[in-house]
Amino acid sequence: MTNPEGSFIWYELMTADPDAASEFYGAVIGWRVLQHSDPSAGGMDYRLIQRDDGGMAGGMLTLTPEMQGGGASPCWMPYFYMADVDAKVAAIIAEGGAMHMPAADMPVGRIAMVSDPQGVPIYLMNPTPPADRPDAASDVFDPVAAQRVRWNELASPDQSASMDFYARHFGFTYPDKMPMGEMGDYCFISHHGQTLGAIMRKQAPSGPTLWLPYFGVPSIEGAKRAVLDSGGQVVMGPHEVPGGDWIIVGIDPGGATFGLVGPQGE
């Protein structure tokens, strides 16, 4: 894979109602969700999220009652590229992380799910590229494009520990920060010359600790209306951010939190 190791290469929505989620994100972001049946996936209902340009924005995993009984809940999850998934899993577990899904070979590549030592769940993946494109790169993250993740934000219960962890294991650096008063510093993530997002201190002790993706939209005001009209909630914003874009944080009808970023619009 041509993406640098430690890159965000895929995003997955875990939801108990994929039909409702497909309708919601279609209205809010403009995605088309494709049915994807793969017998080797063990009968799982897994769908692909397609952008207007024909590329993929990520996937959608249907949570079964058994999964939910085991502790899974609706959320967005990132996949990080690792050349040696097994070695990275072992290193993370040795540092106090937790195993959720042991490394396994699937048609799309070798995948594992772990939690980092601060309790943040993540996927690790070494993808199998298409036969006709052996040098294929993931383009699900783009800092300026609509219908892709433009920003990745982690509110950590231990900010310094998280920053150290992702620096050592994923190659993140933190050359700049934005002071936010009593909320602490908002530390920007740099990775091979690209700004991926930021790590901050978690403000509310309750609730899950997750990576929060911000999806690009052409109009924040238009997207806000679509969120509310489609049964979602807006829990923060719209707020202007440095650079002139605007953001909101919302909750989809299934209970998964997400962010949106783009011009204010009308």
Side-chain angles (χ1 to χ4, degrees):
M1 191 167 203
T2 56
N3 298 86
E5 198 169 39
S7 298
F8 290 90
I9 57 169
W10 193 250
Y11 297 91
E12 181 177 281
L13 173 64
M14 295 182 177
T15 180
D17 191 340
D19 293 331
S22 299
E23 184 175 347
F24 176 80
Y25 287 101
V28 173
I29 301 178
W31 289 332
R32 180 185 177 202
V33 179
L34 310 176
Q35 290 284 157
H36 180 64
S37 178
D38 185 347
S40 64
M44 289 190 301
D45 181 352
Y46 198 90
R47 309 184 186 193
L48 299 177
I49 302 171
Q50 188 178 53
R51 307 186 304 254
D52 282 347
D53 64 3
M56 294 300 162
M60 188 179 294
L61 173 65
T62 302
L63 292 175
T64 65
E66 291 75 19
M67 292 176 183
Q68 295 177 81
S73 59
C75 67
W76 280 96
M77 290 268 291
Y79 283 66
F80 292 93
Y81 169 51
M82 285 294 157
D84 190 335
V85 171
D86 297 77
K88 190 59 65 177
V89 167
I92 291 172
I93 299 304
E95 290 189 14
M99 174 79 75
H100 298 294
M101 185 181 81
D105 289 318
M106 300 185 182
V108 293
R110 191 160 180 81
I111 302 173
M113 186 200 296
V114 298
S115 286
D116 70 23
Q118 283 67 54
V120 182
I122 56 175
Y123 282 106
L124 306 176
M125 182 180 189
N126 185 353
T128 300
D132 59 341
R133 293 187 296 129
D135 295 327
S138 169
D139 64 356
V140 294
F141 171 80
D142 188 300
V144 297
Q147 296 193 346
R148 307 188 199 196
V149 172
R150 290 184 49 186
W151 195 254
N152 302 278
E153 183 179 271
L154 175 60
S156 171
D158 189 333
Q159 183 181 12
S160 61
S162 287
M163 291 172 65
D164 178 64
F165 173 83
Y166 287 97
R168 287 185 291 106
H169 291 288
F170 297 83
F172 290 2
T173 61
Y174 313 97
D176 300 299
K177 63 184 178 182
M178 180 174 67
M180 300 190 298
E182 293 183 356
M183 296 175 63
D185 291 334
Y186 194 73
C187 297
F188 298 105
I189 301 165
S190 180
H191 188 248
H192 293 264
Q194 189 174 49
T195 301
L196 302 181
I199 298 178
M200 61 184 292
R201 189 176 72 217
K202 186 176 181 180
Q203 304 301 310
S206 62
T209 302
L210 299 164
W211 279 98
L212 176 65
Y214 285 78
F215 304 106
V217 293
S219 165
I220 281 292
E221 289 295 340
K224 177 184 175 182
R225 288 193 296 271
V227 168
L228 298 176
D229 290 346
S230 301
Q233 304 172 52
V234 174
V235 296
M236 187 191 78
H239 293 320
E240 189 174 12
V241 294
D245 276 324
W246 290 69
I247 63 169
I248 61 174
V249 175
I251 301 174
D252 71 23
T257 302
F258 64 93
L260 300 175
V261 57
Q264 184 178 24
E266 297 180 355

